[in-house]
């Protein structure tokens, strides 16, 4: 029987798998998280940067503040040509977390595992190696090698978060399209005190890596990650033996004391799985898409995969949405992966020109950029990661109705009944209808559109009122938060309309206040709403870790 099956198996206890398990737990869904390793293994910094919008996802299960507190926040990226700084990219300040936070993937995993180990809806099992997977009528059966012997376990859903060599992807015969780049790169984590701003430093053709690139990122505790593009004949093992590696490092950092914490050489992948969903089996993170490190898109996009899949899986398992809602996971996240691949491919072609003509043009641009400021905007040192806009998704009611549709909802400092908070902390568990209401009439129209759905569907309705407004006249069932109009420029295009925000923080629809018909239609489309009175698969209460503007 369907209801006798455990609900979700997650394969791979990396940042994506752990994030998925914790996000599901917040939404009331238990899962089993399995990994072939006997325990967490430190592999250097690996991913060394988490984008601020992705820290918001960690915030939904109680890990964002610690990551933000421990990491190095930065907003300025420096670009150099032959050791001369030619440009500074400065990102604007915003509420909440910085645009970028430098902290190792290993430390992020540690912080999330600490939370997961006390979460009753998460069952973590190390030393569990997947031997095979068989689709069944109601899910999928896993053959597993465990420390206690071989076992078979059946689940409603299986999610492969097990990296670029994914056993789940291979077992399901899902095509792994794309290529592995021929050039090699060297990553080093070096403990050293440097007189550099703790920001991003990208070098074209520096004197310490002639004809190639190098990038430096600060990490907490005086750790610096340095990535070299290597010449084809470079032998790092021999460099370690001969002392050439020490000379390589000192050419960058100078004659100061340092200690190598970790180093590795690699060839990056530019790949994507043909499908992110096959029946009851899903792929997420590096199992679904493998990207170069340019712009820090790997771990960031993987955690966004987890957030996208979690709310949809929870809606189906709780009986609130049709099974077909899960098809949109592939549609939306495959589009995001293809966009990431398009951006990183352009960066690759600039950094590692594929032909003589490309190299000549690139070298000319570097020469010109040293002399002409206008040319510097043509340099490509890797566009930094940002959330994908789902503008062509079937879940977006009207993808042409303004620039906010499908986008990750901008943040805004607000004041709730419990004090100062942020708008994004009002999202996460359910759909939320918001509107910027300048008078009592606007609040009444918002209530007319959404109050019936809020009662029947658990949807939250939030009226955003200018600071100083009288909230005592707001109808029952409508939450309120106060804001400063001068801080809300990002929402100018919304005008006097309502916005429907999904649990993953993306804006699903926009419509006129008091337009009840459009409101109901938008909610049913965006949520994959099920009109069947089917019993939910699980009935756990969601974990409460989010402080909203109440």
């Amino acid at each position: 029987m369907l209801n006798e099956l455990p609900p979700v198996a997650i394969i791979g206890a990396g940042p994506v798998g752990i994030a998925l398990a914790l996000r599901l737990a917040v939404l009331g869904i238990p899962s089993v998280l399995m990994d072939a390793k006997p325990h967490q293994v430190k592999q250097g910094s690996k991913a060394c940067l988490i984008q601020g919008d992705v820290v918001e996802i960690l915030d939904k299960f109680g890990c964002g503040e610690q990551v933000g507190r421990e990491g190095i926040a930065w907003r300025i990226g420096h670009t150099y040509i032959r050791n001369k700084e030619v440009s500074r990219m400065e990102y604007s300040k915003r509420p909440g977390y910085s645009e970028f936070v430098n902290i190792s993937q290993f430390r992020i995993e540690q912080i999330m595992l600490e939370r997961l180990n006390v979460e009753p809806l998460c069952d973590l099992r190390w030393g569990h190696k997947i031997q095979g997977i068989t689709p069944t009528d109601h899910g999928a059966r896993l053959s597993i090698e465990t420390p206690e012997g071989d076992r078979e376990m059946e689940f409603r859903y299986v999610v492969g978060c097990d990296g670029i060599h994914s056993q789940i992807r291979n077992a399901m015969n899902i095509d792994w399209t794309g290529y592995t780049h021929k050039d090699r790169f060297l990553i080093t984590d070096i403990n050293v005190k440097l007189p550099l701003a703790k920001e991003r430093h990208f070098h074209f053709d520096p004197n310490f890596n002639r004809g190639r690139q190098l990038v430096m990122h600060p990490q907490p505790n005086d750790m610096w990650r340095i990535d070299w593009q290597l010449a084809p004949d470079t032998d790092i093992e021999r460099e370690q033996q001969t002392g050439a590696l020490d000379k390589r490092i000192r050419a960058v950092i100078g004659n100061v004391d340092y200690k190598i914490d970790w180093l590795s050489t690699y060839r990056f992948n530019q790949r994507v799985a043909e499908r992110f969903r096959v029946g009851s089996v899903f792929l997420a993170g590096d199992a679904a898409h493998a990207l170069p490190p340019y712009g820090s898109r790997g771990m960031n996009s993987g955690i966004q995969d987890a957030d996208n899949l979690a709310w949809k899986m929870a809606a189906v398992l709780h009986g609130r949405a049709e099974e077909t809602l899960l098809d949109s996971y592939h549609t939306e996240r495959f589009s995001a992966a293809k966009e990431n691949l398009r951006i990183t491919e352009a960066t690759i072609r600039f950094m590692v020109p594929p032909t003589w003509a490309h190299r000549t043009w690139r070298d000319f641009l570097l020469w010109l950029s040293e002399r002409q400021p206008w040319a510097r905007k043509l340099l490509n040192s890797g566009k930094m990661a940002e959330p994908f806009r789902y503008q062509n998704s079937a879940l977006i009611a009207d993808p042409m109705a303004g620039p906010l549709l499908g986008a990750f909802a901008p943040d805004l400092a607000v004041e709730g009944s419990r004090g100062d908070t942020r708008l994004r902390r009002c999202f996460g568990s359910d759909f939320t209808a918001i509107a910027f209401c300048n008078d009592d009439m606007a609040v009444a129209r918002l209530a007319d559109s959404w109050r019936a759905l809020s009662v029947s569907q658990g949807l939250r309705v939030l009226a955003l009122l200018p600071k100083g407004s009288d909230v005592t006249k707001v109808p029952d069932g409508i939450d309120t938060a106060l804001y400063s109009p001068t801080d809300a420029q990002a929402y100018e295009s919304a005008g006097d309309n309502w916005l429907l925000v999904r649990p993953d923080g993306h804006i699903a629809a926009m419509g006129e206040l008091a337009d009840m018909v459009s409101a109901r239609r938008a909610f049913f489309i965006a949520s994959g709403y099920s009109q069947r009175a089917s019993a939910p698969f699980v009935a756990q209460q969601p974990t409460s870790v989010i402080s909203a503007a109440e």
Side-chain angles (χ1 to χ4, degrees), residues 211-260:
R212 291 175 173 80
Q213 284 72 248
L214 180 142
V215 62
M216 302 176 66
H217 270 282
Q219 299 291 292
N221 304 314
D222 291 320
M223 194 75 69
W224 282 85
R225 169 165 162 163
I226 308 177
D227 289 19
W228 282 266
Q229 180 191 2
L230 296 176
D233 57 351
T234 304
D235 186 338
I236 294 299
E237 290 185 1
R238 180 163 178 77
E239 284 194 10
Q240 289 177 280
Q241 296 167 359
T242 63
L245 179 62
D246 175 69
K247 293 180 180 179
R248 173 189 290 275
I249 292 170
R250 290 195 179 281
V252 179
I253 66 174
N255 189 25
V256 295
D257 292 337
Y258 74 91
K259 180 181 178 182
I260 297 176

Side-chain angles (χ1 to χ4, degrees), residues 236-380:
I236 294 299
E237 290 185 1
R238 180 163 178 77
E239 284 194 10
Q240 289 177 280
Q241 296 167 359
T242 63
L245 179 62
D246 175 69
K247 293 180 180 179
R248 173 189 290 275
I249 292 170
R250 290 195 179 281
V252 179
I253 66 174
N255 189 25
V256 295
D257 292 337
Y258 74 91
K259 180 181 178 182
I260 297 176
D261 184 71
W262 179 78
L263 66 81
S264 177
T265 59
Y266 70 99
R267 287 184 171 90
F268 59 71
N269 288 280
Q270 181 85 341
R271 294 183 180 275
V272 64
E274 185 181 44
R275 295 288 303 173
F276 289 8
R277 180 193 187 187
V278 177
S280 295
V281 180
F282 300 80
L283 301 176
D286 285 353
H289 43 76
L291 302 163
Y294 307 137
S296 299
R297 295 171 179 273
M299 179 183 67
N300 286 293
S301 62
I303 293 175
Q304 289 166 332
D305 291 345
D307 196 28
N308 185 289
L309 180 58
W311 76 263
K312 296 171 181 178
M313 197 169 275
V316 173
L317 289 172
H318 281 307
R320 296 193 298 265
E322 300 284 356
E323 179 81 17
T324 52
L325 174 64
L326 292 169
D327 290 335
S328 69
Y329 168 70
H330 166 79
T331 303
E332 293 184 346
R333 295 310 301 164
F334 183 78
S335 295
K338 295 290 283 187
E339 173 70 1
N340 281 329
L341 288 166
R342 183 191 65 78
I343 292 170
T344 54
E345 182 66 25
T347 303
I348 291 167
R349 292 173 70 84
F350 190 84
M351 292 188 182
V352 190
T355 67
W356 175 86
H358 283 90
R359 177 169 292 280
T360 300
W361 171 246
R362 195 280 303 269
D363 291 347
F364 171 71
L365 280 180
L366 293 180
W367 176 86
L368 188 63
S369 296
E370 290 181 284
R371 294 157 177 81
Q372 297 292 335
W374 63 264
R376 295 166 188 171
K377 65 182 179 180
L378 301 175
L379 299 178
N380 190 337

Side-chain angles (χ1 to χ4, degrees), residues 82-101:
R82 287 178 271 274
N83 299 92
K84 176 186 176 182
E85 183 170 0
V86 296
S87 68
R88 285 162 50 100
M89 178 62 183
E90 185 167 353
Y91 297 86
S92 60
K93 291 183 179 180
R94 61 186 195 177
Y97 302 107
S98 176
E99 190 80 30
F100 305 106
V101 178

